[in-house]
Amino acid sequence: MPAISGYARYRRILRFELGVIAQMWWYELVLPRVGFGRQAAAGRTARLTRTARRFHRLAIDLGGLMIKVGQFLSARLDVLPPAITDELAGLQDEVPAASFERIRALAEEDLGMPLDRAYAWFEPFPVAAASLGQAHRARLTAEHAAETGFTDVIVKVQRPGIDEIVEIDLAALRRAARWLSHIRVVSSHVDAPALVEEFAHTSLLEIDYLHEAQSAETFAAAFAEDPRVGAPDVAWERTTRRVLTLSDVTAIKINDVDGLRAAGIDPAAVAATFAEVMFEQLFTHGCFHADPHPGNIFVTPLSKPATEKDAAWRLTFVDFGMMGEIPDTLRSGLRRLLIAVAARDGKGLVAGIQDVGMLLPSADTLSLERALTQLFDRFGGMGFAQLRDIDPKEFREFGDEFGHVVRSLPFQLPENFLLVIRAMSLTSGVCSALDPQFNIWSAIEPFAARLLSEEGGNVVQDVLKEVWTTLGVTARLPQRIDSVITRIEEGRIEVSTPALDRKLARLERTGRRVMSAVIFAGLLVGGILMLPENVPTGIVFMSVSVVPLLHALFAGALGRR
């Protein structure tokens, strides 16, 4: 961790954020207002890529929470363009280890006893070091091992001083979010303060090892009867908020294809089982491991399977600092989305998205209805068998198009939904690495069918409600038509065209700004020409030209207010 004071760290983060805001203000607000919008747009991708690279360097240099910020942003495909997410996707949470003296002091302070008393043996060199903590091998004392049933353990110790660093980093991020919330081009598309609070919530849970220990036990209980899945046991007497002691379950990493084959394990079978287990977490248990990258999944060979039908190995999950849940509200929203997609109902799609919490209040729902209807119509009505036969290039084009719509409209996916996407993305990547012929559609089909079956009764009820609503509207339609005709005859019909009025007002403002720009140019050029003959008058002309210039630049913002 770089030796840098808290105040210097705070200022350095804010300087970077101010630079990003200044760049955004100049290229996205000022230049388009003076007629250089096309030029600003042409260099946007390269500009965003450079900004992401600068943040990449800043995160590596500062460490702490900034690496987590980069990883978090790399997953926010709903609010950030690929130029940023692609650059940050390679940010690895690998930093130099803290000195063993500092680790020992922190662990002994939290455990309330010397390290050689708490453990029979403790390896000074960590097996892994990350921005928030590091892990060491150790052995429990004979007495403690007899109580827990295991001897070899992995001890995660929080990085010394990380609490203060997290507090400083979150303070800087919250301040920047408040600044961004006052910039209309940002606030109309993303709720920056809410985005920071989502990240803060996840980060604070990650540095609470008591929460991770409880999550590990919850996960183990959910799969207690499943011979395919394992998880480490918690040594609670050696666990605190900053020290976590778990049984050592290290085995073959799931992406070690050569190691799997050497142990007589088929990588393709591992891929299929891993996908099944992840889908069961999502669709059956509702609580799932949200960070299933290869470093957090082991394949453990078994000397004796539970039954003859069971495999001679199991999947062992570790690191439960990032867990996700699928609450009832999300299930309800997804069900409504399902009905709307089946009916090609754009309005119903928007309503379902609002149920899920994906839509900001500033959304133009009419344009959103049209956009979503067009996107879903491309693949609507196709079963999984048909989707499997679609050219992958078409899927990529669909993803690019949908991503463009999401970023151009005020979408913001809720944290639990993003964790689902993250988990599925990592699952697909791991499975494809294990088995190049792996097909995600084949794996998800039985679980999608099961979900629809479980939700079937509720779906029928919702469809009946939609039918009843339609019948009610149809029954009232003649009366409403008669009322409209009567009002037309009496001359009491008023037509409201807010969108047209807004466009006319904008056109009028633009005309005034163009005139101001012409006056500015005339005064400035006139002043320059008069300088050789009459210096005072020339200076006056040039000085007065500032007034129409300011009007040309900022009248649009003042008019909107």
Side-chain angles (χ1 to χ4, degrees), residues 212-531:
E212 182 175 343
Q214 187 59 58
S215 296
E217 288 207 335
T218 300
F219 182 90
F223 286 95
E225 305 299 323
D226 192 336
R228 302 170 302 168
V229 181
D233 296 314
V234 181
W236 282 103
E237 290 188 11
R238 295 295 180 265
T239 294
T240 68
R241 195 183 71 82
R242 299 189 296 174
V243 178
L244 174 61
T245 304
L246 301 167
S247 59
D248 188 353
V249 294
T250 306
I252 305 170
K253 279 191 175 183
I254 193 171
N255 64 339
D256 184 358
V257 175
D258 293 336
L260 291 173
R261 288 178 176 149
I265 300 172
D266 181 9
V270 173
T273 301
F274 178 50
E276 289 176 4
V277 168
M278 288 304 301
F279 290 135
E280 283 188 12
Q281 292 179 48
L282 289 168
F283 298 125
T284 303
H285 302 293
C287 180
F288 62 95
H289 196 300
D291 195 22
H293 64 75
N296 287 340
I297 317 291
F298 295 107
V299 179
T300 306
L302 301 176
S303 56
K304 184 178 179 181
T307 68
E308 293 183 359
K309 295 181 180 180
D310 294 330
W313 49 269
R314 71 179 174 211
L315 297 171
T316 304
F317 288 74
V318 298
D319 193 350
F320 300 91
M322 188 181 295
M323 297 289 290
E325 294 183 4
I326 303 181
D328 292 339
T329 53
L330 181 55
R331 285 180 179 270
S332 175
L334 292 175
R335 186 170 66 247
R336 189 164 185 177
L337 282 172
L338 175 66
I339 297 170
V341 171
R344 307 293 191 276
D345 178 9
K347 186 175 182 181
L349 283 173
V350 173
I353 289 171
Q354 288 173 324
D355 286 348
V356 175
M358 295 167 55
L359 198 58
L360 298 183
S362 60
D364 178 359
T365 56
L366 291 177
S367 63
L368 185 56
E369 288 171 17
R370 289 193 297 269
L372 287 176
T373 300
Q374 291 171 1
L375 285 173
F376 281 101
D377 276 349
R378 287 181 63 179
F379 299 113
M382 294 184 181
F384 284 110
Q386 294 168 293
L387 288 171
R388 282 198 297 267
D389 296 332
I390 290 179
D391 185 354
K393 181 181 178 181
E394 187 173 355
F395 269 126
R396 286 194 296 271
E397 291 175 355
F398 171 77
D400 292 341
E401 183 179 345
F402 186 75
H404 174 72
V405 171
V406 167
R407 287 186 294 274
S408 64
L409 293 169
F411 267 110
Q412 184 163 312
L413 299 178
E415 175 71 9
N416 48 24
F417 202 84
L418 275 170
L419 291 178
V420 171
I421 295 173
R422 174 184 172 81
M424 288 300 93
S425 175
L426 289 171
T427 299
S428 180
V430 170
C431 291
S432 297
L434 288 169
D435 179 11
Q437 304 302 316
F438 177 78
N439 190 317
I440 192 70
W441 295 110
S442 298
I444 199 174
E445 187 170 7
F447 295 97
R450 183 192 305 176
L451 181 63
L452 289 174
S453 176
E454 292 172 355
E455 300 289 345
N458 292 326
V459 170
V460 171
Q461 291 177 13
D462 288 344
V463 170
L464 290 175
K465 288 180 182 177
E466 293 289 336
V467 171
W468 182 256
T469 301
T470 303
L471 289 175
V473 172
T474 304
R476 293 191 299 271
L477 194 57
Q479 181 180 356
R480 296 180 68 180
I481 292 175
D482 182 65
S483 175
V484 170
I485 293 174
T486 301
R487 293 173 67 184
I488 291 174
E489 291 175 346
E490 295 176 354
R492 293 189 292 113
I493 284 288
E494 293 182 2
V495 179
S496 177
T497 57
L500 182 60
D501 291 342
R502 286 196 300 271
K503 288 181 179 179
L504 289 174
R506 192 180 303 120
L507 185 61
E508 185 180 350
R509 287 198 303 272
T510 302
R512 289 198 297 265
R513 290 168 61 198
V514 169
M515 184 58 66
S516 293
V518 172
I519 295 172
F520 157 71
L523 289 172
L524 181 63
V525 173
I528 292 172
L529 293 175
M530 292 182 68
L531 273 177

Side-chain angles (χ1 to χ4, degrees), residues 57 100 209 221 224 249 281 409 499 527 539:
R57 291 193 294 268
F100 181 63
Y209 287 166
V249 294
Q281 292 179 48
L409 293 169
I539 292 175

Side-chain angles (χ1 to χ4, degrees), residues 77-89:
L77 302 176
D78 55 324
V79 296
L80 294 174
I84 292 179
T85 57
D86 291 349
E87 180 65 31
L88 297 180

Side-chain angles (χ1 to χ4, degrees), residues 28 75 87 128 170 416 550:
E28 305 298 334
E87 180 65 31
L170 288 179
N416 48 24
L550 291 174

